[in-house]
Amino acid sequence: MIINLEWWQWLLPLVIASAVMGVYMGWRVMAIWTMGVYFSGLIAHTMGPKLERLINKVLSVFAQFVALAMDRDESAISSPTIDITSPWEPFATGIFFVSLVFLSWWVARKLTNRGELGLLGHLLGGVFGGLAAIVGLAQGLNYWSDFVARSGSNPSGGAGLTVPQISIGVAPLPDNNPLATMICPLMGLFILLILVYTFWRVFRKAI
């Protein structure tokens, strides 16, 4: 038996897991998180080129703080410097983006809770979870395609697993981002669903 998996087929479990989590958490938490994922991409895109300078500035301030705590001159302790070369800049930006995504999840959990949810609220949460995962993957593949373009190689290559009677082949990640044009339509769908669901709740209470 030979099984060939395309790149989207081994990213699909992330979307499914996010959708299942959305069904459990409900639409409130997942709506805030979806917006958080989107704005995390915008922040990472803006801060990416400045990430090296920002990290070095933080390290410099930390070294000065340690020196002052030890009752020494501010310049007594030299801070380490990090040099992010061109091919690795999008990779570092991707890590920064992932950290913002986790931060936005924490914020979403703090701002609201599951509350009382009907069936539609749970299902809408699942839809929002899937949308958030696709938006996040689209942003992540942007950084990946940028890394491939700068480095001139695709390190994901092709992977495979062979066991008796079964051979599983896994395609590499694409060099270009096939999800690049999906972010704006998905966010438009997200806003439309929010509006429809809000109108439905108002109409249901009115009758």
Side-chain angles (χ1 to χ4, degrees):
M1 180 185 296
I2 299 177
I3 302 174
N4 292 315
L5 298 177
E6 296 297 324
W7 64 270
W8 62 270
Q9 292 171 321
W10 54 279
L11 293 180
L12 186 61
L14 295 176
V15 179
I16 295 175
S18 183
V20 171
M21 178 62 70
V23 170
Y24 173 74
M25 296 303 301
W27 72 275
R28 296 185 185 89
V29 175
M30 301 312 291
I32 295 176
W33 186 53
T34 300
M35 293 299 297
V37 172
Y38 176 71
F39 283 107
S40 294
L42 295 181
I43 295 172
H45 176 74
T46 302
M47 297 298 298
K50 307 172 185 176
L51 199 57
E52 176 185 324
R53 185 171 58 182
L54 177 64
I55 294 174
N56 288 329
K57 192 67 176 178
V58 170
L59 291 175
S60 176
V61 171
F62 179 75
Q64 292 176 8
F65 175 80
V66 172
L68 291 175
M70 297 174 62
D71 198 22
R72 300 171 64 180
D73 187 76
E74 292 183 5
S75 58
I77 299 178
S78 58
S79 63
T81 58
I82 296 178
D83 182 21
I84 304 176
T85 57
S86 177
W88 292 99
E89 180 183 299
F91 185 80
T93 305
I95 295 177
F96 179 55
F97 167 68
V98 171
S99 66
L100 290 177
V101 168
F102 281 106
L103 176 63
S104 65
W105 173 259
W106 180 81
V107 171
R109 292 297 309 274
K110 291 296 181 180
L111 288 179
T112 187
N113 52 35
R114 297 175 60 204
E116 295 183 5
L117 296 169
L119 177 61
L120 185 58
H122 284 287
L123 294 178
L124 198 59
V127 173
F128 289 164
L131 291 179
I134 297 174
V135 170
L137 288 173
Q139 297 281 11
L141 286 176
N142 270 337
Y143 307 130
W144 173 260
S145 59
D146 190 14
F147 171 75
V148 171
R150 295 191 190 198
S151 63
S153 63
N154 189 337
S156 67
L161 173 65
T162 301
V163 296
Q165 306 299 324
I166 300 176
S167 177
I168 302 176
V170 179
L173 287 172
D175 294 346
N176 298 317
N177 185 3
L179 303 179
T181 59
M182 295 184 64
I183 297 178
C184 288
L186 287 176
M187 293 308 297
L189 176 61
F190 166 76
I191 295 174
L192 177 62
L193 289 173
I194 285 287
L195 291 176
V196 171
Y197 184 68
T198 302
F199 287 142
W200 178 82
R201 286 177 63 90
V202 172
F203 178 75
R204 188 183 65 172
K205 289 183 178 180
I207 60 174

